[in-house]
Every structure is written in structure tokens, then in C-alpha cells.
Amino acid sequence: MDTIVITGGNVLHGEVRISGAKNSALPILASTILGGEECVINNVPQVVDVVTMGKLLRLLGAQVEHEGNRAVVRAGVIHSTQAPYELVKTMRASVLVLGPLLARWGEATVSLPGGCAIGSRPVNIHLAGLTKLGAEVSVEHGYIRARSRRLKGALIYCDVPTVTGTENLMMAACLAQGTTTIENAAKEPEIVDLADFLTKRGAKIAGAGSDIITIEGVRELRGSDHEVIPDRIEAGTYLVAGAMTKGAVVVNGCRPDHLEPVLAKLLETGVTIKVEKEAVHLDASKINRLKAVDVRTLPSPGFPTDMQAQMAALMAVAEGTSVITETVFESRFMHVEELRRMGANIRVEGNRLVITGCERLTGAPVMASDLRASAGLILAGLCADGVTEVLRVYHLDRGYERLEEKLQTLGAAIERRKA
Ligand code: EPU
């Protein structure tokens, strides 16, 4: 397995271009199978999760071609309605084919995602919603089995605003008979992106981005082109890198409106931020120490849990004590022990991290446990004394496109050591 090797201490300067959002590309690709016509998806990040989604769609019988950041999918015929354990265990987002398969082909067998490094991640709300739409749903031998004649529109209340749950139900409802209302829906920008794509294909969706989404079912969806929105988590990660190294970075090709909670917290640390239409400039070059700030992760429009590990790394070198409260996932703290190995002063109290910043972290070999934890460790390495080796890089490759190359452009001493 590859290792990322970072020699800390370089101040980051320059511009970086943000890739398409992984968490938008995945549901959009899954939704292509809702119709038989060609869909051309642009700005698809070249990351391992996207490759896995491509494999899954091909296994189902769709034709999928990737050319750089463009994916072309034709799902005229489906040979299989089964998402096997071998794929789902490597990527939980595989569960996103459940709704589309059921809606278009009347059946779906999808492996139940297993344990996860960031806490228990049930799919009960996905299943309860599909049942409301008239499907017979059971779990047998580790697989979700769902069957239905044409789904029927219904009122669905989500106990928790789940992102992929809302996406699965929205996709399924597109082809249902009658009107579906999803209450307490997730409001993430990725939900809006998926709704925009589905609408271009003839779906009738209102309210995406609010907590009530209404979908009037149609008989079929046509093909369409689409451009995936920029990745707000990738953008946030580079902004934190600029802040932690006391540098000045510009993230280009981003959506500043999707970054508001992150920008608000970064501003509190003392950095200067200038927002343009599609760019954010962050300047931390005149700051001696960043200030500690408290952060609470929440569903959108709150502070994203996918930026929690990166903020924990930043707080590890800030002046003062901060409290980071994780409310979305029950135990998304696998980065903490590794940050401690680099000298961070972090105490875990239930779902809170109490972090007292230190002047300097020290480089060490560390182990990544999930995608965003890995990003947090990379950031810590960038400003640590000496060399940090981040092992288990495959987590990073799942969701960051050309991370080392982009950080090198900003002046970081980072390289990949091939296994
Ligand atoms: N939940 C339930 N029941 C369900 C579904 C969710 O109780 O049926 C709970 C979860 O346990 C969690 C909360 O609801 O406590 C929110 O989870 P959600 O379902 O929204 O998460 P997800 O859809 O599985 C997506 C992203 C994650 C991101 C979360 C939260 C994709 C492919 N994944 O996951 O992204 O952390 O939303 O914003 O969109 C990542 O990119 O690193 C990542 C983990």
C-alpha cells in the first residue's frame, strides 16, 4: 500500500482548482440507471469511489465510459439488479442504486453496508421510505431485498435528515405513480445538484435544498448532460491547509455559497477571507497564532461533519482551547489518537473533542482510518516539524483527486511512496 510522505513547515502559497464533488457525482451516476438514454456527466472527480460506482453500474449491465472528468452512461438494459457485498463493503454509497433499481426494474438486491470507521450507519430510513412507497422490503442473508410493482407516491417523514437516504427516496419517487413528499429531508448542496440533474431529465421535483421535497412521479426519464458542482469539502480542506501553514491560498472553481459555515469558522480563527463569484482567497500570512474556535457539526446548512477532522487538526495548533462537538456521526474520532502521536493535546469527552492548541506538532508515522481523518492527518503533517508518513492512503484516494499534486503546486513538500 502507498504511503504519503510530508516534510512539514512549508508555507503554502498560490492557487488550486477544485474538482467536482464526490458526494454529488456518486448519486448522479447511480441515478443514470433511472432511464435508458445516454447521460453525459462532466466534472466527475477521478477518485476511487467514482471508479467503484462505475464498476457497479457495469455489473448491473449499464455501459459506462470514463474519459478524464467526463462519464458517459447508457443504461438501456440491465442484466442484474444485485449490488454484491464485494463492492458495497468497499463503498457504502453503493446503496444509492437501491432506489433507482427498484423504481425502474421493480426489484433490487443490495448488500447491507457493514460496519464503518465513523460510527454505526444504518439505512433504516431508506428502507422505511421505500416501504412507504409500496415496496416489499426485507433483509435476508446480509442483503436488502426490495420488490414492487410501480411505486406509489406517499408522504415520507425522515427521522433524521439523511443525505443518501433523501437521495435514494427522491430518485425512487421520480418514477412512482403520484406525488411523494419527503419531510425532514436533507438539505445538502449535493441533494440540489441531484435534483437539478433529474429535473433536466424530465423529473418533477420541487423544494430540493429545503426540508420538504415534493416529487410528482413521471413514467420515464430521458437522457441529459450535467456538470457536477464543485467539491465543498475539498475546497474547505485546502483553505484549512492555507490557514495552518500561515500561507495565502486561492481556491478556484468553487461555490463560496456552499462554503459559508466553513468560512465563518475560519474567519473566527483570525484569517482574512475574500470571496469572489467562484473563488475564495484566504490569507493567514500576517498571523502569529490562529485563534481557537468552537465547532459543532450539523446537517446542512450547519458545519459539515466531513470537515470535522480537518478543523480538529487546525485547532491542534491554534492558540487556546476549543471544543468540537460531533452531532452527525456517533464516533467519528479515529483521527484523534493519530493526532496525539504528533503531539496534539486532545481529550475526548463523549461526542466532544476538547483541544488545547500547541505551538508545534511533530511529524510521525500515522495511520489513516477513513477519508476525512486522512485529510486531517495530511494537514497536521503540513505544519508539523519533520517528516510525517501517512499510511493506508487508499482512504484518501477514495475522495481527493490528485491531492499530492495540488498540494505540491501550493508549495508543500509532499510525495507518494509507492508500495
Ligand atoms: N441515519 C440513520 N438512518 C438512516 C440513515 C442515516 O439513522 O437510514 C443517521 C446516520 O447514522 C447519521 C445521520 O443519519 O447519524 C446522517 O447520516 P447520512 O445518512 O446523512 O450520511 P450518508 O448519507 O451515509 C453522506 C456522505 C458522507 C457524509 C454524510 C453526512 C455520501 C456518499 N456520503 O453519508 O460523506 O459524512 O452524508 O453529511 O454522500 C465522506 O465524504 O467522507 C462521507 C462520509
Side-chain angles (χ1 to χ4, degrees):
M1 253 177 259
D2 297 355
T3 304
I4 299 270
V5 184
I6 306 160
T7 306
N10 288 8
V11 175
L12 300 195
H13 279 289
E15 305 194 6
V16 64
R17 183 145 208 97
I18 299 309
S19 300
K22 164 185 84 82
N23 288 348
S24 235
L26 294 175
I28 285 172
L29 287 169
S31 78
T32 57
I33 60 172
L34 278 167
E37 289 182 10
E38 181 175 282
C39 293
V40 180
I41 318 297
N42 293 305
N43 206 27
V44 175
Q46 296 188 58
V47 295
V48 171
D49 273 5
V50 163
V51 174
T52 308
M53 182 58 82
K55 271 189 206 158
L56 175 55
L57 297 182
R58 275 188 210 105
L59 205 72
L60 300 176
Q63 287 172 268
V64 185
E65 287 155 33
H66 289 284
E67 301 152 16
N69 293 106
R70 166 176 299 189
V72 181
V73 186
R74 270 174 244 100
V77 190
I78 290 289
H79 304 309
S80 158
T81 51
Q82 177 158 351
Y85 179 61
E86 290 65 45
L87 280 183
V88 181
K89 77 173 195 282
T90 65
M91 184 183 70
R92 303 179 63 84
S94 307
V95 78
L96 285 165
V97 298
L98 178 62
L101 279 176
L102 179 67
R104 179 148 171 241
W105 303 95
E107 58 174 53
T109 306
V110 174
S111 171
L112 198 59
C116 181
I118 66 178
S120 150
R121 294 176 71 184
V123 289
N124 57 312
I125 299 170
H126 305 226
L127 306 191
L130 294 175
T131 307
K132 278 266 184 169
L133 293 175
E136 269 176 48
V137 182
S138 60
V139 176
E140 293 161 30
H141 307 293
Y143 278 81
I144 304 161
R145 293 181 198 279
R147 301 274 175 285
S148 176
R149 301 172 81 89
R150 189 172 178 201
L151 295 169
K152 287 205 168 51
L155 172 67
I156 301 168
Y157 171 77
C158 300
D159 289 337
V160 183
T162 151
V163 176
T164 49
T166 301
E167 291 163 348
N168 241 334
L169 297 173
M170 188 164 78
M171 292 187 281
C174 282
L175 297 184
Q177 185 182 16
T179 304
T180 298
T181 305
I182 306 175
E183 290 189 345
N184 200 23
K187 297 184 281 196
E188 271 65 9
E190 293 75 20
I191 306 268
V192 179
D193 202 24
L194 173 64
D196 286 347
F197 174 58
L198 294 169
T199 303
K200 285 184 200 165
R201 300 178 67 194
K204 298 202 168 122
I205 303 175
S210 79
D211 49 16
I212 301 184
I213 304 179
T214 309
I215 306 116
E216 208 184 300
V218 295
R219 270 276 168 202
E220 57 183 13
L221 295 186
R222 51 181 178 264
S224 178
D225 291 7
H226 189 71
E227 170 133 354
V228 173
I229 56 168
D231 196 313
R232 62 197 166 102
I233 306 302
E234 189 199 18
T237 303
Y238 290 115
L239 290 172
V240 173
M244 285 179 76
T245 60
K246 317 273 173 55
V249 299
V250 183
V251 294
N252 284 322
C254 67
R255 284 277 304 259
D257 55 328
H258 293 168
L259 282 162
E260 272 166 18
V262 174
L263 298 183
K265 282 292 147 186
L266 285 173
L267 268 176
E268 278 184 48
T269 68
V271 302
T272 307
I273 286 175
K274 195 175 100 204
V275 170
E276 287 172 4
K277 193 160 168 272
E278 292 183 353
V280 176
H281 300 241
L282 178 142
D283 189 351
S285 59
K286 293 174 196 73
I287 295 179
N288 185 25
R289 288 284 296 279
L290 300 160
K291 288 199 274 281
V293 299
D294 294 341
V295 178
R296 190 178 182 83
T297 68
L298 286 167
S300 188
F303 189 92
T305 172
D306 289 344
M307 280 298 297
Q308 183 254 107
Q310 298 89 318
M311 282 307 271
L314 190 155
M315 289 308 132
V317 293
E319 186 166 29
T321 298
S322 67
V323 177
I324 298 188
T325 310
E326 172 59 60
T327 77
V328 178
F329 289 110
E330 59 182 11
S331 59
R332 198 175 197 179
F333 289 147
M334 299 285 277
H335 43 290
V336 169
E337 286 304 327
E338 304 300 307
L339 287 173
R340 278 196 189 126
R341 302 193 64 251
M342 300 177 71
N345 182 349
I346 309 182
R347 208 169 64 238
V348 182
E349 289 180 358
N351 70 338
R352 301 189 316 168
L353 299 181
V354 181
I355 308 176
T356 304
C358 57
E359 291 263 357
R360 207 116 186 90
L361 297 171
T362 52
V366 287
M367 196 97 87
S369 55
D370 81 79
L371 172 57
R372 309 305 171 183
S374 318
L377 298 176
I378 299 272
L379 294 174
L382 290 174
C383 71
D385 262 342
V387 175
T388 296
E389 292 183 355
V390 182
L391 311 173
R392 295 201 184 152
V393 168
Y394 59 90
H395 289 295
L396 266 181
D397 294 338
R398 288 187 40 212
Y400 285 90
E401 186 176 58
R402 296 182 284 108
L403 177 101
E404 311 94 89
E405 199 185 307
K406 289 188 185 188
L407 283 171
Q408 280 162 6
T409 311
L410 293 174
I414 180 169
E415 58 183 32
R416 178 179 295 249
R417 202 166 57 214
K418 290 272 176 201

